[in-house]
Amino acid sequence: MDDALWSTVSRERLSLADTLDALTPEQWATPSLCSEWSVQDVAAHLAMTPTAPTLGQIVVGILHSRGDLWAFGRDIAREYAQRPTDQIITELRRTADSRHLPPLTNPDNALLDIIVHGQDIARPLGIERMIPTSAGLAAFARAWSMGWPFHAQRRLRGIRLSATDAKLSASDANFAVGSGELIEGRLGDLLLLVTGRTEAALPHLSGPGISLLTPPSISTE
């Protein structure tokens, strides 16, 4: 299972590098869907993941940011993003096959990271970035099961999410989670919703459950 997962991560990293190759300086500076990060900041975050700080460096960094893990991650990505954009792309390609993980994370998080952050970059630029169904389902399952930082099951209590473009492998039924008022849409848009990108997802979703949505209270990352 891990081999298939890591192969997907590698393909997504290389595909994203190809997308970044075509961006203009103005596009690199565009705000991403990820709070307080530009497209360049998000790309830098993904490029630096295989060479992320050690646990000791993370502890020191969190102390400096007064316990705010999001602020620590934001700041080190911005620092890395000071590199020329071609260096960021080169590093993303060079480490595409790397299975190194930052402390306190796992391969499922690596897949979720590249899938969601790929959308964080592409959506504001009007670029259609396809999500492979199997990878999208795995990323969704990880995001749905997590507490911090998304708390998806708590935020979306009383709502049933149904993907109109993803079928369950054992039947013809649409992939669905939760219970209550229905919200349906493409798997990629539901993934944005469960990871707190509500504003970006909302125009592409439908169903009576939309009236129950409230703006996310988290910093998306």
Side-chain angles (χ1 to χ4, degrees), residues 14-36:
L14 293 172
S15 171
L16 183 60
D18 290 342
T19 297
L20 295 173
D21 256 337
L23 300 188
T24 65
E26 291 75 20
Q27 288 175 311
W28 279 96
T30 298
S32 75
L33 296 185
C34 197
S35 302
E36 301 182 38

Side-chain angles (χ1 to χ4, degrees), residues 47 62 89 112 115 128 140 147 169 188 190 193:
I62 292 174
I89 296 170
L112 175 63
I115 294 294
E128 180 74 16
F140 186 99
S169 59
L190 295 179
L193 177 63

Side-chain angles (χ1 to χ4, degrees), residues 71-131:
F72 167 68
R74 176 200 62 204
D75 292 344
I76 61 172
R78 284 177 170 173
E79 181 178 349
Y80 195 95
Q82 298 306 306
R83 291 165 171 75
T85 56
D86 61 339
Q87 288 185 21
I88 294 173
I89 296 170
T90 296
E91 187 66 8
L92 191 58
R93 287 198 173 105
R94 186 184 71 81
T95 59
D97 292 330
S98 173
R99 298 189 178 189
H100 176 77
L101 289 167
L104 308 177
T105 189
N106 59 52
D108 291 330
N109 286 357
L111 178 63
L112 175 63
D113 213 37
I114 186 65
I115 294 294
V116 173
H117 282 320
Q119 297 300 309
D120 286 336
I121 288 172
R123 294 287 184 111
L125 299 178
I127 296 172
E128 180 74 16
R129 182 168 175 78
M130 300 302 296
I131 299 176

Side-chain angles (χ1 to χ4, degrees), residues 1-217:
M1 177 61 179
D2 275 2
D3 286 343
L5 185 154
W6 281 114
S7 292
T8 301
V9 170
S10 177
R11 288 194 300 271
E12 289 297 306
R13 286 170 174 169
L14 293 172
S15 171
L16 183 60
D18 290 342
T19 297
L20 295 173
D21 256 337
L23 300 188
T24 65
E26 291 75 20
Q27 288 175 311
W28 279 96
T30 298
S32 75
L33 296 185
C34 197
S35 302
E36 301 182 38
W37 280 3
S38 67
V39 164
Q40 186 159 338
D41 294 332
V42 177
H45 164 75
L46 293 170
M48 70 176 288
T49 295
T51 56
T54 65
L55 181 57
Q57 291 171 323
I58 290 174
V59 170
V60 171
I62 292 174
L63 288 174
H64 285 167
S65 62
R66 299 183 179 181
D68 188 336
L69 183 59
W70 161 249
F72 167 68
R74 176 200 62 204
D75 292 344
I76 61 172
R78 284 177 170 173
E79 181 178 349
Y80 195 95
Q82 298 306 306
R83 291 165 171 75
T85 56
D86 61 339
Q87 288 185 21
I88 294 173
I89 296 170
T90 296
E91 187 66 8
L92 191 58
R93 287 198 173 105
R94 186 184 71 81
T95 59
D97 292 330
S98 173
R99 298 189 178 189
H100 176 77
L101 289 167
L104 308 177
T105 189
N106 59 52
D108 291 330
N109 286 357
L111 178 63
L112 175 63
D113 213 37
I114 186 65
I115 294 294
V116 173
H117 282 320
Q119 297 300 309
D120 286 336
I121 288 172
R123 294 287 184 111
L125 299 178
I127 296 172
E128 180 74 16
R129 182 168 175 78
M130 300 302 296
I131 299 176
T133 300
S134 59
L137 288 171
F140 186 99
R142 177 56 182 153
W144 183 251
S145 70
M146 295 173 70
W148 183 90
F150 307 126
H151 301 286
Q153 294 187 48
R154 185 183 70 194
R155 287 191 299 108
L156 301 172
R157 186 178 294 117
I159 293 174
R160 175 177 169 82
L161 304 177
S162 177
T164 56
D165 61 340
K167 305 293 184 179
L168 296 172
S169 59
S171 73
D172 291 329
N174 290 346
F175 169 77
V177 297
S179 61
E181 296 290 340
L182 178 66
I183 291 179
E184 58 183 356
R186 296 182 304 172
L187 179 61
D189 296 312
L190 295 179
L191 183 57
L192 292 183
L193 177 63
V194 300
T195 55
R197 282 91 170 149
T198 305
E199 187 175 347
L202 203 52
H204 309 286
L205 301 173
S206 62
I210 287 177
S211 64
L212 302 179
L213 294 179
T214 56
S217 60

